[in-house]
Amino acid sequence: MKRYASIFFLYAEHALEYKSRSFVWFLLVLIDALVYLLFWRGVLTGPDASSVWTMQKALSYYLILLVAGTLLQVHIEEEVAFEDIQYGRLSQYLLRPFSYLGFKFFQEIPWRIIQGGFGLITLVAISVFFQRIQTVTDLSVLPVIALIAIGAYLLCFIYKMIVGIIAFWTIDYTGLQNIQLIVYLLLSGVLVPLHLLPDGIREFALVQPIAYTLYYPVLAVQGSLTVPELWHVVFMQWMWIGCLFFTYSVLWRKGLREFTAVGQ
Amino acid sequence: MKRYLRIYYQLLRLNLSALITYRVNFVNNVVGSVGWGAMSLLTLILLTARVTSAYGWKREELLLFNGIYGVIIGVFHMFISNNMGRLSRVIHMGELDSILVKPIDSQFAVSLWWVNFATVFRIVMAAAFTVYIISVLNIRITGEQVLAFSLLSIASLVLLYSLWFIVLTNLMWLTNLSNLVLFMYSFESMARFPKEMLMQLTGFVFYAVFPLAIVINTPARALLGRISVTDSMWLVVLAAGSWCIARSFWRYALRHYGSASS
C-alpha cells in the first residue's frame, strides 16, 4: 500500500503543477452544464413548465452533475490506448513491481480531486451567493451516499480501463474512442436526466452500468432517492463492478498476448 | 494571392493522397465526424423529447436550427479545426520552427495545412436533415434567401476562425494548455442554440458569448427569411474586426515564441 501511496503523491505533484490544464478541463464540463441549464430555463418558463420538471430541480441536477462529472468521471482511456498500448509504453509498467490497474487507479485520483475541487467551489459559491441548491437533507444517509460516490468512481474507472485496453486489438483507436464518448454522454445523464428520456430508451438507460457512474450519484446527492433506493443503487453498482472487473481481467490476459511492445 | 491559391491546390491534392493511403484512418474519421454530427442532433431531439417549445422556438424549428449549425460547423471542421489541433500540438512540443522556416505566410501554414475530407459526410447528413425539416415545416425558400445564407455563412466562418485563432495564439505563452482546443470545440457548440437563449447571460459572459450568439443565428435567419440588416451588419463587422485582431495578435505572439516545448 505504501508503494501506491507514493504513486498517488508523485502524481499529486504532477497534477498540481498542471492545475491550469485541470481548470480548462473543468471549464469544458461547466460550459455543458451552463448550456443545458439555459435551455431548461427557456423550457421551464414556457407553456410546458409544470408538466416536465422544475427549474429548482434542473439547477440542482446540473450543478451537482458538474461536481460529479469533474470528481467521478475518469479520463484514463486515451492514455491507456494511445500512450501505453499503441506507442508501446506498457512495457515499462509490466517491468515494475506494481499492478498496472493499481498504478493507473492511483495516478488518476489527484486529477479528480483537483478538478472536483473546482466543481465543488463553483457549487458552493452559487449556493451561497445566488440560489440555494436542493441537496439531501437527511444527514443519516450521508455514509450511503459516500459509498455510492466510491462505487461510481470504481465503476467508471474499470469501464474506462476496458475501453482503453480494447486498443490491443485495434490499429486506429480514434473511431472507437469517439463512439464510446458519445455512448457515455447519452447514457450517463450528462445531456438529459435519464428519467426524461423517451419511453423505450429510458427503461434501458436506467439499468445499464453507465447510469450508475453519474446519474444515480447525482440523484442521491439531490435527495431524490429513498433509503431503500440508495441501497439498491449500492447493490447494483457492486454487481456491475464485479461484472466489469471480470470482463477486464479476461480482456487484459488475452490482450497481453497480442501486445508486441514495439508500438503500432 | 495567385501563389497561395496554387499552394492550397497542392495541399488539397496532398490531403487527398493521404486519404487514399490511410484508408482505415479515413473510415475512423468518418465514424467520428458523422457520430458527432448525429450526436448534436440527437442531443436536441432528446432535450426536446418531452417539450414543444423553448424561447419561442418550436421543436421542429430548433431541430432546423441544429441542421444549419451542422452544415456551417461541418465546413469549418473540414477546413480549419484540424489545423487548430495541430497548432496546439506544434506549440506544445516546440515544433513551430519547422513551419516558420517555410517561405510562406506562417498564419496560412498553420491554419490551412490539413483538410479533413471525412467531414463531407457530416455536412451532407446535416444538409439532408435541414432540407427534410424545411419540407416538414413547409417553409418556402427563395433564391435570394439561399444567396444571403451563403454570403453570411462565409462571414460566420471568418468569425469562427478568428475566434479560434485568437484563443489558440495565447498558447505561445500558455504552452501547456494544449487542451484549449477541446475547450473551443465545447465553446463553439453553444452556437447551436437560438440567440434568445444565449442572450440570457449577463456581464462578461454575455460579451464572451455574443459572437457565438450571432455566428449561426444570422445565416440561419437569412435562410428562413427572418433576417434584419442590423443583424447582418453586426456579423460582417464583427467578422472583419476579429480577422484583423487575429492577424495582428499572431504577428505579435510570434515575437514571443520561445521555440521550447512545455
Side-chain angles (χ1 to χ4, degrees):
Chain A
M1 201 60 204
K2 203 176 160 191
R3 286 186 298 189
Y4 290 109
S6 303
I7 295 168
F8 171 79
F9 287 117
L10 197 66
Y11 278 93
E13 276 180 37
H14 192 242
L16 278 170
E17 190 184 341
Y18 288 96
K19 52 189 173 299
S20 49
R21 273 182 81 82
S22 283
F23 186 68
V24 174
W25 288 122
F26 158 73
L27 285 180
L28 290 177
V29 186
L30 179 69
I31 285 178
D32 282 344
L34 184 73
V35 165
Y36 298 130
L37 261 177
L38 277 176
F39 178 83
W40 282 111
R41 189 176 171 186
V43 170
L44 299 174
T45 49
D48 296 312
S50 57
S51 61
V52 185
W53 216 12
T54 64
M55 193 56 212
Q56 177 67 22
K57 280 192 173 169
L59 186 70
S60 67
Y61 180 84
Y62 283 106
L63 288 177
I64 296 168
L65 188 70
L66 172 70
V67 182
T70 47
L71 188 69
L72 305 176
Q73 204 184 335
V74 177
H75 299 286
I76 200 80
E77 71 279 18
E78 271 192 55
E79 189 179 309
V80 170
F82 290 116
E83 294 185 28
D84 295 351
I85 296 174
Q86 298 202 327
Y87 295 149
R89 254 180 42 184
L90 182 64
S91 328
Q92 299 170 20
Y93 292 100
L94 296 177
L95 294 170
R96 288 174 185 164
F98 306 113
S99 135
Y100 179 65
L101 192 71
F103 193 100
K104 290 288 161 190
F105 182 79
F106 285 98
Q107 175 194 330
E108 180 70 7
I109 292 175
W111 293 96
R112 295 299 106 235
I113 293 173
I114 291 178
Q115 287 171 36
F118 288 129
L120 204 59
I121 291 167
T122 311
L123 177 80
V124 172
I126 290 174
S127 196
V128 171
F129 297 111
F130 296 101
Q131 191 165 358
R132 179 141 166 62
I133 307 298
Q134 179 198 324
T135 50
V136 67
T137 45
D138 180 6
L139 297 181
S140 66
V141 297
L142 285 183
V144 192
I145 293 176
L147 261 182
I148 289 175
I150 293 167
Y153 182 81
L154 281 170
L155 187 57
C156 188
F157 176 75
I158 297 174
Y159 166 74
K160 292 293 180 89
M161 285 300 289
I162 291 174
V163 171
I165 64 170
I166 290 174
F168 279 127
W169 293 275
T170 59
I171 293 173
D172 191 339
Y173 175 77
T174 40
L176 181 79
Q177 162 70 357
N178 279 313
I179 292 169
Q180 85 80 22
L181 198 57
I182 290 167
V183 170
Y184 189 86
L185 288 173
L186 286 174
L187 298 180
S188 63
V190 169
L191 303 178
V192 188
L194 300 182
H195 61 269
L196 293 182
L197 288 176
D199 302 339
I201 309 172
R202 188 177 60 234
E203 286 74 24
F204 167 72
L206 288 171
V207 292
Q208 48 76 38
I210 298 173
Y212 291 89
T213 63
L214 283 179
Y215 175 69
Y216 284 111
V218 170
L219 290 194
V221 177
Q222 233 185 344
S224 304
L225 300 176
T226 60
V227 176
E229 282 171 337
L230 287 172
W231 283 111
H232 179 71
V233 171
V234 175
F235 170 77
M236 289 299 288
Q237 279 182 328
W238 284 95
M239 196 270 291
W240 280 120
I241 288 170
C243 292
L244 292 189
F245 185 73
F246 175 74
T247 310
Y248 170 82
S249 307
V250 172
L251 290 176
W252 173 251
R253 273 198 301 274
K254 290 193 172 184
L256 273 186
R257 275 180 237 137
E258 302 279 331
F259 184 58
T260 54
V262 288
Q264 291 176 343
Chain B
M1 185 66 185
K2 223 171 167 184
R3 180 171 166 248
Y4 281 96
L5 284 176
R6 240 187 2 252
I7 294 171
Y8 197 62
Y9 174 68
Q10 288 303 325
L11 285 173
L12 286 176
R13 285 184 55 179
L14 282 171
N15 276 285
L16 210 58
S17 308
L19 180 153
I20 295 161
T21 315
Y22 303 107
R23 273 165 289 192
V24 177
N25 198 28
F26 176 69
V27 172
N28 258 320
N29 280 332
V30 170
V31 170
S33 178
V34 171
W36 282 111
M39 173 73 177
S40 173
L41 290 173
L42 202 59
T43 302
L44 216 73
I45 290 170
L46 293 177
L47 275 170
T48 55
R50 286 168 186 270
V51 297
T52 51
S53 67
Y55 293 101
W57 289 70
K58 284 188 290 185
R59 183 173 191 246
E60 290 75 17
E61 288 175 330
L62 289 168
L63 291 173
L64 171 63
F65 203 81
N66 231 261
I68 296 169
Y69 164 84
V71 174
I72 296 174
I73 279 305
V75 173
F76 180 74
H77 287 183
M78 182 171 171
F79 294 102
I80 305 289
S81 58
N82 258 13
N83 293 285
M84 297 292 117
R86 172 175 170 250
L87 173 63
S88 80
R89 268 195 307 279
V90 294
I91 297 177
H92 186 60
M93 309 300 275
E95 294 168 358
L96 188 60
D97 317 48
S98 59
I99 294 171
L100 295 179
V101 293
K102 287 187 168 74
I104 50 170
D105 183 84
S106 58
Q107 189 176 347
F108 172 85
V110 296
S111 305
L112 296 168
W113 207 258
W114 284 352
V115 181
N116 184 6
F117 286 105
T119 317
V120 169
F121 292 87
R122 178 176 177 175
I123 298 168
V124 170
M125 189 183 77
F129 183 78
T130 305
V131 171
Y132 167 72
I133 293 284
I134 284 173
S135 69
V136 167
L137 287 171
N138 213 7
I139 299 171
R140 275 179 56 99
I141 307 269
T142 64
E144 286 101 30
Q145 282 164 254
V146 175
L147 183 69
F149 168 76
S150 309
L151 292 174
L152 289 169
S153 294
I154 294 170
S156 292
L157 290 170
V158 173
L159 178 56
L160 266 176
Y161 163 75
S162 306
L163 288 177
W164 271 72
F165 202 68
I166 291 168
V167 171
L168 293 181
T169 300
N170 283 291
L171 290 174
M172 293 282 196
W173 294 275
L174 311 165
T175 45
N176 61 22
L177 290 188
S178 53
N179 55 349
L180 268 178
V181 176
L182 295 175
F183 169 77
M184 286 308 290
Y185 276 109
S186 194
F187 186 63
E188 116 199 326
S189 70
M190 291 173 95
R192 69 183 196 266
F193 292 98
K195 187 166 79 174
E196 292 80 359
M197 181 181 124
L198 301 176
M199 292 301 204
Q200 298 287 311
L201 297 165
T202 53
F204 164 75
V205 186
F206 169 75
Y207 290 108
V209 166
F210 179 71
L212 288 181
I214 62 168
V215 81
I216 303 294
N217 272 268
T218 310
R221 281 166 202 262
L223 187 68
L224 301 176
R226 296 185 196 171
I227 188 82
S228 71
V229 179
T230 324
D231 284 346
S232 314
M233 287 306 289
W234 261 116
L235 177 62
V236 172
V237 169
L238 211 58
S242 306
W243 162 263
C244 294
I245 294 170
R247 181 89 182 140
S248 312
F249 191 40
W250 173 250
R251 286 182 172 171
Y252 173 75
L254 277 182
R255 282 184 247 136
H256 296 266
Y257 176 58
S259 189
S261 73
S262 66

